[in-house]
Amino acid sequence: MLAGFDHVAVLTADLDRFVDFYREVFGAQVEGRLSDEVLEMVVLRIGPTSEINVFQIDGNDEASRQTPSFGRGRLDHFAFRAASIEQFDELRDELIRRGCTDGFVTDFGHVLSVFFRDPEGLELEVCVGNPDAVPGRINPPGTPAARYHPA
């Protein structure tokens, strides 16, 4: 009944910095912008059916609050899905170049994942289908992906 996620809403302290990062790294496209005396909002298209709705609100400091994983409230983080393993590698390289990640790739079994922090300090991840997956195997967080971390 569903086709996936439509959008994720995110608060930022610097709308232009946020938009520039996602445009430069992920090729996000600005779909629309609105503002009034207190609020600015940008709708960023990040894929054929997905958006990030980014809000900068005067006097709201929620964007500065970051705590360790699973201590952030009901929504902990979100993940992008790379179109291919080649795109995953390109994104990983760019995120390493920008100092957003150490490049560690986790093998979760069915997917590979690289976590990163954006300029806001928000922790996210990029995932891709694992070409080396063993059907039915799920691995815990921190399991190194053999193609990136040979033993």
Side-chain angles (χ1 to χ4, degrees), residues 22-97:
Y22 284 89
R23 287 175 73 180
E24 292 168 9
V25 175
F26 297 102
Q29 298 173 357
V30 174
E31 291 285 306
R33 185 176 210 125
L34 67 85
S35 65
D36 61 27
E37 315 74 57
V38 179
L39 166 109
E40 284 188 81
M41 177 194 177
V42 169
V43 175
L44 283 176
R45 169 98 22 225
I46 58 168
T49 62
S50 302
E51 301 173 348
I52 304 175
N53 295 348
V54 191
F55 296 86
Q56 183 175 329
I57 303 169
D58 289 347
N60 184 314
D61 69 349
E62 287 297 320
S64 66
R65 298 176 192 234
Q66 283 295 310
T67 58
S69 289
F70 306 115
R72 298 180 181 125
R74 294 180 71 163
L75 179 62
D76 187 76
H77 68 276
F78 61 93
F80 298 112
R81 182 72 169 215
S84 67
I85 193 74
E86 294 80 15
Q87 290 293 301
F88 178 84
D89 290 342
E90 268 187 56
L91 290 167
R92 178 177 174 262
D93 290 347
E94 179 64 14
L95 292 166
I96 291 169
R97 187 184 74 70

